[in-house]
Amino acid sequence: MQKNKVTCILCPRGCIIEKKEQGGTFEFVGFGCTRGMKWAKEEFTNPKRILTTTVHVKSGEIEFVPVRTTKPIPKEKIFEAISILKGIEVLAPVEIGSVIVKNILDTGADVVTTRRVGQKESLDN
Amino acid sequence: MEKYKVVVIGGGPAGLAAALESFKILDDKKVLIIERDKFLGGILNQCIHPGFGLHYFKEELTGPEYAHRFVEQVVENRIEYLTETHVIDITPEKEIVAVNKKGLKRIKADAIVLAMGCRERTRGAIITPGTRPAGIFTAGQAQRLINIEGYRIGKKAVIVGSGDIGLIMARRLTLEGIEVKAVVEIMPYSTGLRRNIVQCLDDFGIPLLLSHKVVKIHGKYRVEGVTIAKVDSQLQEIPATERFIECDTVLFSVGLIPENELSKKAGIVLDIKTGGPVVDNTFSTSQKGIFACGNVLHVHDLVDNVTLEAQIAGRYAAIYSQHPELFENNIHVNIVAKEGIRYVVPQKLNKNFVQPFVLRFRVDNFYKDAIVTVSNAGKVLVEYKKSILTPGEMESIEISQKILSQLDFSNDIVVSLQNI
């Protein structure tokens, strides 16, 4: 997704910041503040997002446990990460913050649970 | 009949924060939370995306993580709570009738905090023509089905309305391998937060069709598609702009309404604009000893604000339960929303509690470079300039002690907006 325009999300103003190439160097136009410019630079060069999804839980009081990456990961790795997480099943009980995948796709981010899931009450009780 | 000092109805973010705050203040600690779902935490449990707590905790949490911080404190303090329990009636005398698996329960409270949250508007609310096949959901309902129950709800979807839940679901469906064909918004602007438009739509190249509406839903057993059309500035369909989009799923994200069925039963006066109770700066409703906070009061865009508001409601509920006489002769000054302001909360200032508070409000349209003023008896008390104001983002002004000291109590407090 190579774009030369991004919308800044730091404030409601929503500046549209454009990357212009001039003789091999880049120039940014349209930003309203220096924070916005810094943000846009990162967004152009290495856009990252926190990924959240769910992972299947075996014998849990709920069927799926929500998970997240501990820090933002490169945007282009999101679908690959999702497909890894789709194939994972954890066993209840699960504590909040348990590591499900360490250093996913070499991004330096772990995938951790964001909710505690107790065991399903057995029918005998 | 069981007796409590403070009973909180609803175990979501508002209820949890209110209960914790009441509990802190009360000596005898008789606080009870009643929740209808199986778990505390409310809708936050299904909001697995990040973006919560940036203001309150100064870090980015997911919904369940945000809820967990409060649930943990409730458990640690051994605050009593009932789950899977429905409150079916409350009276002005602060008697509560609730029902659960064990049967009917009657509870007497010295003070009640209403924290029941809100409901989604449905297809019926915007009267979308067409058939009624399977595959039509509200966005929040789809969120629960996917994030908690783990269902795959369809293959190709169209989302109606560009509120935050709709935008977030556009991303969620995409991650789940469901193709989102378009987000259709009748207004010329999105009511969702900017960050959600960027991170949920732009990131995945999902088209946001502004000034468009769904004019028909097709399909006999399962949704087969929708017909959309452009609308003019009067929101009327423009002839010959119809277009068919093939899909098997339609999500409606067309606004939220505070859930005040119980409030009505207790005879509480509601505000037509917010859909929630009229409250004063103690978050007291028109029924003495019944307080309200969170989305049952007015729909918030950030949970952080819900927490702050609920803490105040919880504090005053505890004060009421110990010293109801302080609220005996309530005299109020009205706080009125005028030009450009859709509503304000609280709607009244209680003369017995002239203490600094935060006035929260929404504007009624898109404004660029405008001044918001708070005035009283023809005098401007406070004003502030904003380069952008949108109906989707809640605004707030702090009413300080200094401002309060200049008040003329025989006149309304007026909040209004002027273009520069």
Side-chain angles (χ1 to χ4, degrees):
Chain A
M1 265 183 268
Q2 202 60 28
K3 292 190 299 182
N4 55 4
K5 267 185 195 172
V6 292
T7 310
C8 180
I9 59 163
L10 298 181
C11 84
R13 186 194 284 263
C15 294
I16 294 172
I17 303 166
E18 214 177 322
K19 184 173 82 169
K20 282 186 174 168
E21 198 181 338
Q22 271 190 341
T25 56
F26 292 113
E27 197 193 12
F28 299 96
V29 290
F31 55 86
C33 63
T34 48
R35 274 177 68 223
M37 195 186 90
K38 239 182 103 186
W39 180 87
K41 261 188 186 165
E42 166 96 9
E43 187 71 6
F44 280 121
T45 51
N46 187 17
K48 286 178 177 176
R49 301 285 186 263
I50 288 175
L51 169 65
T52 64
T53 183
T54 56
V55 162
H56 199 257
V57 190
K58 215 176 164 183
S59 28
E61 55 189 346
I62 52 170
E63 294 261 332
F64 287 81
V65 61
V67 298
R68 67 177 293 173
T69 54
T70 47
K71 58 181 191 180
I73 63 169
K75 224 162 80 172
E76 79 266 8
K77 291 199 173 173
I78 280 185
F79 282 98
E80 205 180 331
I82 279 271
S83 69
I84 291 173
L85 294 169
K86 275 250 175 289
I88 290 177
E89 191 175 65
V90 294
L91 188 67
V94 191
E95 277 308 308
I96 189 168
S98 308
V99 178
I100 301 288
V101 181
K102 242 191 134 39
N103 186 19
I104 191 159
L105 295 168
D106 259 332
T107 55
D110 296 340
V111 177
V112 297
T113 56
T114 56
R115 182 175 175 177
R116 173 187 291 157
V117 180
Q119 253 166 335
K120 192 176 3 192
E121 287 168 42
S122 82
L123 292 170
D124 310 334
N125 304 338
Chain B
M1 189 156 44
E2 283 180 78
K3 283 190 163 182
Y4 286 89
K5 279 282 176 196
V6 175
V7 174
V8 178
I9 302 172
L16 294 170
L20 281 162
E21 204 66 21
S22 289
F23 186 82
K24 262 189 214 163
I25 291 171
L26 289 169
D27 304 320
D28 62 359
K29 309 292 184 197
K30 286 293 279 181
V31 177
L32 174 71
I33 305 168
I34 308 177
E35 165 59 41
R36 69 179 170 190
D37 206 342
K38 205 173 166 187
F39 301 95
L40 292 177
I43 299 303
L44 284 177
N45 284 326
Q46 67 188 51
C47 300
I48 62 164
H49 54 278
F52 299 91
L54 285 164
H55 297 266
Y56 190 75
F57 290 114
K58 309 271 181 266
E59 59 180 304
E60 189 162 11
L61 303 172
T62 63
E65 288 171 321
Y66 189 95
H68 180 78
R69 298 206 173 180
F70 294 91
V71 174
E72 209 172 27
Q73 288 182 60
V74 165
V75 173
E76 270 172 18
N77 288 303
R78 298 197 187 150
I79 297 178
E80 289 179 63
Y81 65 88
L82 292 166
T83 51
E84 290 181 279
T85 304
H86 285 248
V87 173
I88 54 175
D89 202 6
I90 52 175
T91 69
E93 292 72 39
K94 296 179 282 294
E95 275 179 31
I96 296 157
V97 185
V99 63
N100 60 19
K101 280 179 192 158
K102 291 180 188 155
L104 205 67
K105 226 176 168 55
R106 284 176 195 280
I107 300 160
K108 174 82 180 85
D110 288 339
I112 293 176
V113 180
L114 304 175
M116 295 90 77
C118 58
R119 274 183 201 172
E120 294 184 279
R121 297 210 310 154
T122 61
R123 171 193 184 176
I126 58 165
I127 321 173
T128 305
T131 53
R132 301 183 61 190
I136 303 171
F137 307 90
T138 60
Q141 179 186 17
Q143 190 175 48
R144 184 182 174 108
L145 290 172
I146 295 171
N147 292 349
I148 295 185
E149 327 259 347
Y151 290 103
R152 178 170 179 145
I153 62 160
K155 293 192 180 95
K156 290 174 190 169
V158 166
I159 297 177
V160 185
S162 64
D164 287 313
I165 316 167
L167 298 175
I168 282 158
M169 286 313 291
R171 171 175 61 189
R172 188 71 190 116
L173 293 178
T174 310
L175 292 177
E176 284 294 311
I178 301 167
E179 185 192 349
V180 180
K181 295 273 188 107
V183 174
V184 181
E185 170 62 56
I186 193 166
M187 301 304 282
Y189 50 83
S190 165
T191 48
L193 298 172
R194 175 80 53 188
R195 52 177 287 148
N196 286 333
I197 297 169
V198 173
Q199 299 196 339
C200 301
L201 301 188
D202 298 356
D203 266 12
F204 304 103
I206 299 167
L208 170 60
L209 306 174
L210 298 173
S211 296
H212 274 74
K213 73 184 271 194
V214 169
V215 294
K216 197 170 180 185
I217 295 177
H218 308 265
K220 192 173 178 192
Y221 300 108
R222 176 81 197 192
V223 173
E224 286 162 17
V226 295
T227 300
I228 63 164
K230 279 188 189 164
V231 298
D232 60 23
S233 57
Q234 304 303 305
L235 308 182
Q236 294 304 307
E237 187 186 335
I238 302 171
T241 59
E242 289 97 350
R243 177 152 72 93
F244 180 78
I245 303 180
E246 190 209 332
C247 62
D248 61 8
T249 304
V250 182
L251 298 197
F252 281 87
S253 172
V254 290
L256 302 165
I257 321 163
E259 184 160 351
N260 277 290
E261 301 312 311
L262 287 173
S263 320
K264 283 179 201 157
K265 284 190 176 178
I268 287 167
V269 176
L270 301 182
D271 180 332
I272 300 168
K273 293 277 182 58
T274 59
V278 171
V279 292
D280 64 22
N281 56 319
T282 68
F283 289 94
S284 170
T285 68
S286 62
Q287 292 290 3
K288 282 192 185 128
I290 303 183
F291 298 78
C293 57
N295 281 354
V296 80
L297 181 58
H298 59 136
V299 176
H300 297 64
D301 34 63
L302 299 177
V303 71
D304 308 63
N305 289 329
V306 167
T307 299
L308 295 171
E309 185 182 283
Q311 287 171 336
I312 297 167
R315 192 177 317 146
Y316 281 108
I319 294 171
Y320 183 93
S321 74
Q322 290 175 320
H323 300 286
E325 71 281 359
L326 293 175
F327 294 78
E328 209 39 63
N329 303 306
N330 283 341
I331 302 172
H332 288 117
V333 184
N334 288 321
I335 307 172
V336 191
K338 286 255 170 87
E339 302 91 70
I341 309 291
R342 190 151 66 89
Y343 72 74
V344 291
V345 170
Q347 295 90 338
K348 289 159 185 279
L349 168 64
N350 189 333
K351 225 182 144 179
N352 294 342
F353 297 94
V354 183
Q355 276 159 11
F357 66 100
V358 176
L359 199 58
R360 299 189 201 280
F361 61 92
R362 280 184 200 277
V363 297
D364 61 4
N365 210 329
F366 241 92
Y367 292 97
K368 245 187 160 164
D369 297 318
I371 297 181
V372 177
T373 58
V374 180
S375 54
N376 166 249
K379 193 170 75 179
V380 173
L381 298 175
V382 57
E383 61 176 17
Y384 81 116
K385 225 174 110 177
K386 283 280 261 188
S387 55
I388 296 269
L389 286 155
T390 87
E393 303 215 18
M394 196 196 282
E395 299 290 331
S396 61
I397 293 185
E398 198 152 340
I399 306 296
S400 64
Q401 197 63 58
K402 197 179 149 209
I403 296 168
L404 290 167
S405 66
Q406 300 169 37
L407 272 183
D408 170 357
F409 281 88
S410 53
N411 278 289
D412 289 351
I413 297 169
V414 177
V415 187
S416 62
L417 177 153
Q418 290 82 34
N419 277 310
I420 307 172

